[in-house]
Amino acid sequence: MDIPPLEAHSVAEAHLYLMATPCKLCGTGRTRYVEADSETSAGQHLLTIQTCCESCGFDSEFKFSLPDEPALASEEGDDLATARINPFATPSKIIDVGQWLTLFRVISEVAGRETDAAESRRLGYEAAQCLEEALKFYGEDNDLPPPEAAFHEQTRCQLRERPNLFARSRLINLRAKLPTLTEMERRLQSRGHKRARKWWKLW
């Protein structure tokens, strides 16, 4: 039976999904990107990514449907450096609120350790977007995300055990410490930023 493709808002969101998803076989290893291909069939834009687990070596294939034709990054290109993860107001259907917060924390830590200033700014921009994506799950009158914002058991457990980590007021305070996404994009573009590493790799 064919498994329907995962609905992603962009190529960047598809790659972040891989970062947030452990190996399907061993359950713990990081899913490393190997190669990607795209096609358009019956008006549907599809992205297929081949991966390999860093721990057990298990090969996997992930298929994503995208709202626009995928613009895959070249080995040296910088066309996705300032691309929005999700330019729409709707929250992700494949990465839940807890995973976005984890991605925000991890990418922020990598940005803080990065010695290249331009690369640190790019990573900071990506981290800020992850925080924005987490906030899309919240209602204006509720300080905690709704139950449907937690797709995965790990997030549900965290939400029950440490709800303070998910407080909307806490996330808003974190966001207030950062420049706006528009300002970050302006800085990246004005400096003619060139990625020091392939855009889909953080480590």
Side-chain angles (χ1 to χ4, degrees):
M1 182 178 68
D2 290 337
I3 300 175
L6 300 163
E7 294 184 44
H9 291 102
S10 66
V11 175
E13 185 179 7
H15 282 282
L16 287 169
Y17 170 83
L18 298 182
M19 291 181 190
T21 303
C23 172
K24 293 187 288 186
L25 183 62
C26 70
T28 58
R30 290 175 180 158
T31 304
R32 179 169 291 281
Y33 170 98
V34 177
E35 62 181 1
D37 191 21
S38 66
E39 63 177 308
T40 299
S41 177
Q44 185 179 32
H45 305 299
L46 298 174
L47 172 68
T48 301
I49 301 179
Q50 307 292 337
T51 67
C52 179
C53 174
E54 289 186 340
S55 295
C56 69
F58 181 67
D59 294 326
S60 297
E61 180 180 276
F62 295 85
K63 289 184 178 293
F64 300 89
S65 64
L66 302 171
D68 299 304
E69 186 173 0
L72 302 183
S74 66
E75 289 292 304
E76 299 178 355
D78 194 46
D79 51 324
L80 295 173
T82 57
R84 288 285 177 100
I85 292 170
N86 177 8
F88 307 99
T90 53
S92 176
K93 295 182 179 180
I94 58 176
I95 303 176
D96 77 2
V97 61
Q99 290 175 311
W100 282 121
L101 293 179
T102 297
L103 287 166
F104 166 70
R105 175 181 57 79
V106 171
I107 298 173
S108 294
E109 290 173 355
V110 176
R113 296 193 300 267
E114 177 59 56
T115 57
D116 181 85
E119 182 65 8
S120 179
R121 283 192 295 270
R122 188 197 67 79
L123 289 168
Y125 169 68
E126 191 166 89
Q129 289 190 79
C130 291
L131 186 58
E132 292 281 356
E133 290 307 307
L135 281 164
K136 288 181 181 180
F137 287 99
Y138 292 73
E140 292 289 337
D141 56 350
N142 198 329
D143 201 41
L144 289 177
E148 58 268 23
F151 309 158
H152 306 287
E153 183 58 31
Q154 183 177 2
T155 298
R156 290 190 285 269
C157 288
Q158 290 176 333
L159 191 53
R160 287 193 300 268
E161 296 170 3
R162 304 187 67 185
N164 59 302
L165 295 179
F166 293 84
R168 181 172 178 267
S169 54
R170 172 179 171 270
L171 273 57
I172 289 176
N173 287 335
L174 288 171
R175 186 178 64 178
K177 298 176 183 179
L178 304 172
T180 65
L181 295 183
T182 301
E183 175 61 19
M184 288 182 169
E185 289 168 355
R186 186 191 65 77
R187 292 177 185 177
L188 288 171
Q189 292 165 349
S190 65
R191 288 172 171 82
H193 173 66
K194 189 72 175 178
R195 281 187 299 274
R197 59 170 64 89
K198 296 181 180 65
W199 74 278
W200 58 82
K201 294 183 178 180
L202 286 178
W203 35 68

